[in-house]
Amino acid sequence: MRMIKLTPDTKEDLLNALLKRSPNHYSQYESVVADIISSVRQRGDEALFAYTEKFDKCKINASNIRVTREEIASAYQKTDAKLVEAMKHSAGNIRAFHEKQLHNSWFDTREDGSLLGQKITPVGLSGVYVPGGKAAYPSSVLMNVIPAKVAGVKRVVMTTPPDPAGEVYAGTLVAADIAGVDEIYKAGGAQAVAAMAFGTESIPKVDKITGPGNIFVALAKKACFGYVSIDSIAGPSEILVIADETANPRYVAADLLSQAEHDELASAILITTSEKLAEDVNAQVEEFVNRLSRKEIIKKSLENYGYILLAEDMEDAVEAANEIASEHVEILTADPYAVMTKIRNAGALFLGEYSSEPLGDYYAGPNHILPTNGTAKFFSPLNVDDFLKKTSIISYSKEALQKVHKEIELFAESEGLTAHANSIKVRFE
């Protein structure tokens, strides 16, 4: 990993390098994605089936696009029973955490007869995209579906690409069943996003699309936003570890590599006030890489976006972390809670040496669908609110309106909207 002294210049260079990984910088694929979306929007199933045969080498039609209960039962038989139990325990933790995010509609009445309030309603139909092949992550199924169900979404549909034999990864189907998915369709890529955004003869139009995917999926979600709501445009995975001389270098190295193995664009950054820790971590990284199964991906990731930043003090380390606004931030310091209070921008915070990032990915309960590429400065993790709509409620009595009608008329007339003013004025003529 590159070891760099943290200065304003090196921090700016790093931020610029990290931003290049954003899906917003892959405009060369936008025309391809636009053509796929347009084709599915116009030709429906016909286009969807053709793209599935082209990209997934699988012939799908209206009779076999939907996953059957028999296929789900078969998936349970193919999945290790202990893994099924682990998924169920994880699902319970995720459900319990997200249930705490629920809040109710509210109304505020006043003596003059006015009433203001907010009505909370779940979206009617939610769609989740799940990658297939080597990028099949059952944990993401749980993280996307359970918050929707906790929010009260009645119908959740899922799309995921089939293999050439027309089968879906067994772990994905088991996770979907545990989470409570209502319908599963064999479709992947930008064409699946388009199908959910606009509807086809087989796949219903949804109100919201969530879930990770490759660059074509990310760009398709971006292009369909407005026709349908989306969670975010996810970029490559990231981890940032803030550590001092008390941190265990072996733990730090292992945690950095936990994200570097995702793909060649993943970033792994250590910010530390200890030069000795930096050197020890670097040595441990080399040791681990040589015996990990995805070492070629890890090596490329570290070569591209692996950094050890040496900070003068913890204040500089925290300032840099807030600028980078990483998806995952681990704090391995003598007093992680004190440092945590100063972190403003992060998708998720992991405090202490026994709170490594995979705990959040798989089990603890908070959502692992997190803002990336610095968007933690203004976005939040996927949560129950993402599946809820808020409707304002206004009710005034004649007495309440009479007290304020002249002010409203004045406001409307100042904007040149005389019909607005008249709508109030006629009630008191």
Side-chain angles (χ1 to χ4, degrees):
M1 295 177 71
R2 274 162 291 190
M3 202 176 302
I4 300 172
K5 185 174 177 60
L6 183 60
T7 67
D9 288 341
T10 57
K11 181 171 66 177
E12 184 175 354
D13 290 343
L14 173 59
L15 290 171
N16 289 333
L18 293 175
L19 286 173
K20 290 177 182 177
R21 305 173 311 129
S22 168
N24 293 323
H25 289 269
Y26 289 84
S27 56
Q28 68 267 36
Y29 300 116
E30 287 181 348
S31 61
V32 175
V33 170
D35 288 343
I36 292 172
I37 292 171
S38 176
S39 182
V40 172
R41 188 177 184 183
Q42 293 174 22
R43 295 164 47 221
D45 274 355
E46 179 190 354
L48 182 64
F49 299 154
Y51 284 124
T52 302
E53 184 171 4
K54 178 180 179 180
F55 296 127
D56 299 311
K57 313 303 179 190
C58 177
K59 290 188 176 182
I60 291 293
N61 55 52
S63 68
N64 64 5
I65 188 173
R66 182 169 174 177
V67 172
T68 64
R69 288 305 309 176
E70 290 74 20
E71 288 175 289
I72 294 173
S74 176
Y76 273 96
Q77 297 301 315
K78 297 174 184 176
T79 305
D80 186 296
K82 291 182 179 178
L83 177 57
V84 174
E85 282 305 302
M87 286 188 193
K88 290 179 178 178
H89 293 155
S90 173
N93 292 340
I94 295 166
R95 189 171 292 108
F97 179 85
H98 287 82
E99 283 174 348
K100 295 182 185 301
Q101 297 176 340
L102 281 170
H103 42 90
N104 300 317
S105 301
W106 58 268
F107 302 93
D108 178 29
T109 58
R110 299 172 184 170
E111 291 182 0
D112 62 8
S114 62
L115 177 148
L116 301 176
Q118 182 173 264
K119 184 175 182 288
I120 298 175
T121 311
V123 301
L125 178 55
S126 183
V128 56
Y129 181 86
V130 178
K134 293 180 180 178
Y137 300 124
S139 58
S140 286
V141 178
L142 302 178
M143 293 290 182
N144 278 279
V145 176
I146 291 174
K149 284 297 183 179
V150 169
V153 177
K154 297 297 184 187
R155 189 178 175 195
V156 176
V157 305
M158 185 177 99
T159 61
T160 188
D163 65 17
E167 296 184 352
V168 174
Y169 177 60
T172 296
L173 294 184
V174 171
D177 188 60
I178 291 171
V181 172
D182 298 286
E183 301 157 34
I184 306 169
Y185 297 95
K186 300 173 184 177
Q191 60 272 22
V193 174
M196 289 191 284
F198 298 104
T200 72
E201 295 87 341
S202 296
I203 296 180
K205 173 178 171 30
V206 304
D207 301 311
K208 179 147 195 160
I209 299 174
T210 67
N214 62 19
I215 188 62
F216 295 98
V217 171
L219 290 175
K221 287 169 69 177
K222 179 181 178 182
C224 291
F225 178 65
Y227 297 100
V228 64
S229 177
I230 64 171
D231 50 351
S232 64
I233 304 168
S237 297
E238 350 175 287
I239 185 169
L240 185 150
V241 178
I242 301 173
D244 61 17
E245 70 283 354
T246 66
N248 184 319
R250 192 168 178 80
Y251 296 170
V252 174
D255 294 354
L256 291 169
L257 299 182
S258 72
Q259 293 306 292
E261 75 169 340
H262 270 294
D263 61 61
E264 291 87 349
L265 293 176
S267 74
I269 299 170
L270 166 63
I271 306 179
T272 182
T273 52
S274 169
E275 188 169 347
K276 183 180 186 306
L277 178 77
E279 292 170 352
D280 290 345
V281 167
N282 219 4
Q284 288 289 336
V285 164
E286 290 184 20
E287 180 188 329
F288 279 132
V289 168
N290 291 326
R291 57 188 176 89
L292 291 170
S293 62
R294 294 168 69 90
K295 63 182 177 182
E296 296 308 317
I297 292 175
I298 293 172
K299 286 179 180 178
K300 196 69 177 176
S301 169
L302 295 180
E303 180 184 322
N304 290 332
Y305 301 106
Y307 296 89
I308 297 177
L309 304 177
L310 291 167
E312 281 290 329
D313 52 38
M314 195 52 63
E315 301 302 320
D316 285 345
V318 167
E319 182 183 349
N322 280 323
E323 283 297 310
I324 295 168
S326 184
E327 178 185 18
H328 309 98
V329 174
E330 288 190 6
I331 303 176
L332 301 176
T333 61
D335 188 353
Y337 293 93
V339 176
M340 177 268 291
T341 62
K342 299 173 184 176
I343 298 295
R344 302 187 311 277
N345 305 322
L349 292 169
F350 300 80
L351 310 181
E353 62 182 8
Y354 292 102
S355 305
S356 61
E357 187 278 336
L359 178 65
D361 271 354
Y362 295 109
Y363 206 78
N367 211 288
H368 79 198
I369 309 297
L370 302 168
T372 57
N373 282 110
T375 59
K377 292 179 179 178
F378 44 82
F379 280 145
S380 304
L382 188 72
N383 61 83
V384 168
D385 277 355
D386 284 301
F387 301 95
L388 297 173
K389 303 181 286 97
K390 300 176 179 69
T391 303
S392 300
I393 296 174
I394 301 169
S395 176
Y396 267 46
S397 65
K398 181 178 181 180
E399 175 191 354
L401 184 60
Q402 190 163 21
K403 292 178 181 177
V404 299
H405 77 93
K406 290 191 181 298
E407 289 187 355
I408 301 168
E409 293 162 21
L410 177 62
F411 218 145
E413 288 166 355
S414 74
E415 294 184 351
L417 300 177
T418 54
H420 278 64
N422 189 59
S423 173
I424 299 290
K425 189 178 298 183
V426 293
R427 285 164 166 77
F428 298 100
E429 289 176 342

